[in-house]
């Protein structure tokens, strides 16, 4: 398999599959995919501050319900556990935070579900 073939295969992966691949590679080869600042490059302290501020938790924000509002309401109910009325109110009053401080993998999964239902979603 060529490097280009591997890159093409990786491009086809979903976010969760890519996350699993990274973890498997880290375990297999004893390496870390965490970016490391190179000494003598950049602002030193500023690089450390940027690394400390790297987000690990995200808020999933429903920006717009889109054309299939009923499907979006169903997904919001599934994610939040809200009743029909509360979920509908959340969708109708978009932009609205659907899930706060969700880990990156969970936030991406929620975003995929909502987008599949036709919603417009942002991670903040």
């Amino acid at each position: 398999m060529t490097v280009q073939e591997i890159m093409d295969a990786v491009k086809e992966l979903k976010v969760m599959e890519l996350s699993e691949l990274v973890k498997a590679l880290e375990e297999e080869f004893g390496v870390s995919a965490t970016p490391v600042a190179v000494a003598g490059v950049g602002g030193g302290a500023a690089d450390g501050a940027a690394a400390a501020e790297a987000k690990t938790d995200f808020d999933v924000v429903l920006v717009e319900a889109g054309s299939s509002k009923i499907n979006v309401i169903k997904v919001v109910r599934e994610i939040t556990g809200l009743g029909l009325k509360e979920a509908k109110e959340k969708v109708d009053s978009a932009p609205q935070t659907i899930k706060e401080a969700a880990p990156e993998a969970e936030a991406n999964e929620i975003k995929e579900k909502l987008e599949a239902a036709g919603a417009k979603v942002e991670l903040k």
Side-chain angles (χ1 to χ4, degrees), residues 25-79:
L25 289 171
E26 288 176 341
E27 289 175 12
E28 179 70 25
F29 297 106
V31 295
S32 174
T34 306
V36 178
V38 178
V41 177
D47 289 341
E53 291 178 18
K55 288 192 83 154
T56 56
D57 291 339
F58 295 87
D59 292 343
V60 181
V61 179
L62 175 68
V63 177
E64 184 181 313
S67 59
S68 56
K69 192 190 278 188
I70 293 172
N71 291 332
V72 175
I73 292 170
K74 287 178 183 177
V75 174
V76 169
R77 286 186 68 198
E78 173 190 331
I79 293 166

Side-chain angles (χ1 to χ4, degrees), residues 91-108:
V91 171
D92 286 342
S93 62
Q96 211 28 285
T97 301
I98 301 300
K99 180 89 173 182
E100 292 183 353
E104 184 175 9
E106 181 184 355
N108 284 322

